[in-house]
């Protein structure tokens, strides 16, 4: 009934609205999600009640978050415009983050991002570290290292320090480009910083930076070259001092994925042996299911998974590696799936396919 807009102006319950809207949006059903949001929005109440305005804003925050995750960029822009222009509400930092994040993943020109950054200044909303991270990683998924550097420059101006996201962006961007040389330089940064931490006194490896809320370790000033993906070595002293990479295991997972896609079996095995060795010497480094699944994919791509299947499954079964019972069952099934050759497309292949599709669309438009 809600989807048919028969409940216009009737509030079925704030929590129910949020669940329905987000559930539809995250599954790519953008039109239905927006219809539900519209049907349960009382414009008069929003204008007259601060509580109704806050609840409505939160509902549209979730809608934008879902649309961002399902990569519905045009729908996200339409929802944002409705909230800001039609409802007259000031979008939150979370809404701006969702919007510019999905636009960056879609590969929009920098001018589009600048437009919304300008609106943030008008609305007196401060860009958050999460916003810069989303834009940086979004452009990286298009292999656009040049725009990643543009984002890093904006971060430097805003006083935002580099984080593990810079390493993720670099590895992802160069993997999409098929640039193994640059990816390898960033991999060396990861291993060099971890090796140096492994040599510290036994108590010191516990001191790690887990995000912007904890700054227990003072880092040396950053050089100008540190704000470029082309100069990973300039960031090595910073990450060594900050000790952040040992905490964010997503870096190791992506590193293994990139090696599996672009390198050879020997380097995949060598990298894994290094990771295992480091995990024994750095107390704050605990491997996760995410890392083991990346290892599974990497070995499968190199035709080595059948050789290491028993060791991988043994690691999945060990309680200290963080698998719940349900995750263990799913992980073992995933190993079998990878053995059958069902793997995600390589990043460089996906990027080329996307570029070809865009070129075809542009040519069709010219022909029309």
């Amino acid at each position: 009934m809600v989807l048919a807009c028969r409940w216009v102006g009737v509030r079925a319950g704030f929590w129910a609205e949020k669940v329905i809207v987000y559930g539809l949006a995250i599954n790519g059903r953008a039109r239905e999600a927006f219809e539900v949001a519209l049907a349960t929005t009382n414009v008069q109440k929003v204008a007259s009640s601060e509580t109704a305005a806050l609840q409505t804003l939160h509902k549209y925050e979730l809608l934008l978050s879902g649309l961002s995750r399902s990569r519905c960029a045009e729908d996200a822009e339409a929802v944002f415009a409705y909230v800001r222009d039609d409802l007259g509400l000031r979008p939150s930092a979370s809404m701006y983050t969702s919007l510019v994040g999905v636009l960056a993943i879609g590969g929009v020109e920098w001018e589009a991002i600048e437009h919304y950054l300008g609106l943030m200044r008008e609305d007196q909303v401060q860009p958050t570290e999460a916003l810069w991270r989303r834009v940086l990683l979004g452009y990286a998924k298009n292999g656009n290292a040049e725009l990643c550097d543009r984002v890093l420059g904006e971060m430097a101006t805003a006083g935002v320090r580099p984080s593990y996201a810079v390493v993720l962006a670099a590895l992802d961007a160069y993997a999409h480009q098929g640039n193994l040389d640059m990816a390898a330089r960033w991999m060396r940064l990861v291993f060099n910083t971890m090796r140096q931490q492994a040599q510290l006194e036994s108590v010191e490896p516990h001191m790690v930076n887990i995000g912007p809320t904890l700054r227990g370790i003072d880092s040396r000033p950053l050089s100008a070259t540190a704000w470029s993906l082309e100069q990973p070595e300039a960031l090595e002293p910073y990450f060594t001092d900050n000790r952040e990479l040992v905490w964010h295991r997503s870096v190791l997972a992506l590193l293994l994925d990139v090696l599996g896609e672009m390198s050879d079996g020997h380097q995949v095995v060598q990298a894994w042996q290094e990771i295992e060795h480091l995990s024994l010497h750095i107390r704050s480094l605990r491997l996760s299911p995410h890392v083991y699944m990346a290892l599974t994919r990497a070995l499968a791509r190199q035709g080595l998974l059948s050789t290491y299947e028993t060791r991988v499954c043994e690691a999945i079964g060990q309680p200290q590696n963080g698998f719940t019972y349900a995750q263990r069952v799913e992980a073992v099934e995933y190993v079998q799936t990878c053995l059958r050759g069902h793997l995600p497309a390589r990043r460089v292949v996906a990027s080329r396919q996307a570029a070809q599709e865009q070129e075809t669309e542009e040519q069709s438009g010219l022909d029309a």
Side-chain angles (χ1 to χ4, degrees):
M1 292 178 70
V2 173
L3 294 182
C5 294
R6 297 177 185 176
W7 285 5
V8 174
V10 177
R11 296 184 67 80
F14 176 53
W15 291 103
E17 293 170 20
K18 292 198 305 180
V19 171
I20 295 171
V21 166
Y22 182 73
L24 290 170
I26 200 172
N27 284 287
R29 297 174 64 180
R31 183 181 61 83
E32 293 96 328
F34 199 7
E35 283 183 358
V36 173
L38 288 172
T40 54
T41 298
N42 188 320
V43 179
Q44 290 76 22
K45 223 170 190 180
V46 169
S48 60
S49 168
E50 184 178 350
T51 300
L54 288 172
Q55 289 182 337
T56 299
L57 190 64
H58 186 50
K59 177 174 63 179
Y60 283 99
E61 274 185 358
L62 288 175
L63 173 55
L64 269 173
S65 176
L67 293 175
S68 181
R69 290 176 181 274
S70 58
R71 301 190 180 184
C72 300
E74 291 184 5
D75 298 290
E77 284 195 285
V79 169
F80 182 89
Y82 173 74
V83 171
R84 190 175 189 272
D85 301 334
D86 296 347
L87 293 181
L89 298 174
R90 185 176 70 176
S92 64
S94 173
M95 296 177 76
Y96 275 107
T97 299
S98 295
L99 178 59
V100 297
V102 72
L103 290 175
I105 289 175
V108 298
E109 297 295 332
W110 177 251
E111 287 71 19
I113 303 296
E114 276 192 322
H115 168 69
Y116 288 106
L117 292 176
L119 293 183
M120 291 189 79
R121 287 190 290 271
E122 287 181 21
D123 294 337
Q124 298 182 334
V125 178
Q126 187 71 24
T128 62
E129 188 171 343
L131 181 143
W132 295 120
R133 184 167 62 245
R134 286 288 304 276
V135 177
L136 181 67
L137 295 176
Y139 279 129
K141 290 187 180 300
N142 292 279
N144 198 328
E146 183 178 342
L147 279 182
C148 285
D149 279 354
R150 181 70 179 269
V151 177
L152 288 174
E154 294 290 332
M155 291 170 62
T157 302
V160 178
R161 306 284 287 182
S163 71
Y164 72 100
V166 178
V167 184
L168 290 177
L171 290 173
D172 209 9
Y174 290 122
H176 277 90
Q177 291 180 7
N179 190 337
L180 179 58
D181 290 339
M182 284 303 304
R185 287 172 63 185
W186 280 94
M187 291 177 194
R188 282 196 292 273
L189 176 147
V190 173
F191 284 125
N192 286 345
T193 55
M194 290 188 176
R195 288 183 194 121
Q196 291 183 62
Q197 182 158 1
Q199 296 171 5
L200 297 175
E201 295 297 329
S202 59
V203 70
E204 289 182 304
H206 286 292
M207 301 165 60
V208 294
N209 174 16
I210 61 174
T213 57
L214 179 58
R215 298 296 185 193
I217 304 169
D218 294 328
S219 298
R220 67 189 75 184
L222 288 166
S223 65
T225 55
W227 299 98
S228 172
L229 297 191
E230 294 183 354
Q231 300 294 332
E233 294 80 11
L235 273 172
E236 188 171 315
Y238 170 80
F239 281 120
T240 300
D241 288 348
N242 212 37
R243 304 172 197 169
E244 186 185 65
L245 295 181
V246 297
W247 181 269
H248 294 286
R249 293 161 293 196
S250 53
V251 170
L252 295 178
L254 181 55
L255 185 152
L256 288 168
D257 264 327
V258 171
L259 278 175
E261 293 179 16
M262 301 174 62
S263 188
D264 56 48
H266 173 72
Q267 288 190 322
V268 170
V269 173
Q270 190 176 39
W272 177 248
Q273 290 173 343
E274 176 88 357
I275 291 170
E276 281 192 315
H277 172 76
L278 289 169
S279 69
L280 296 175
H281 292 82
I282 304 176
R283 295 186 183 185
S284 51
L285 176 60
R286 290 292 178 267
L287 305 183
S288 67
H290 189 40
V291 176
Y292 283 100
M293 294 302 93
L295 172 66
T296 300
R297 288 189 295 273
L299 292 171
R301 291 189 190 282
Q302 298 299 326
L304 294 174
L305 184 54
S306 57
T307 304
Y308 289 91
E309 178 186 0
T310 301
R311 288 184 61 183
V312 171
C313 289
E314 285 176 354
I316 291 170
Q318 293 173 357
Q320 66 268 28
N321 290 330
F323 288 86
T324 64
Y325 174 78
Q327 287 175 328
R328 285 200 296 271
V329 173
E330 187 176 351
V332 171
E333 290 177 355
Y334 187 70
V335 170
Q336 297 306 312
T337 298
C338 290
L339 279 170
R340 293 191 293 270
H342 300 300
L343 293 161
R346 297 173 189 264
R347 285 168 174 78
V348 66
V349 173
S351 291
R352 288 171 182 167
Q353 288 176 342
Q356 289 172 355
E357 289 173 2
Q358 184 176 358
E359 186 177 343
T360 302
E361 288 179 3
E362 290 174 354
Q363 187 62 45
S364 299
L366 291 173
D367 293 341

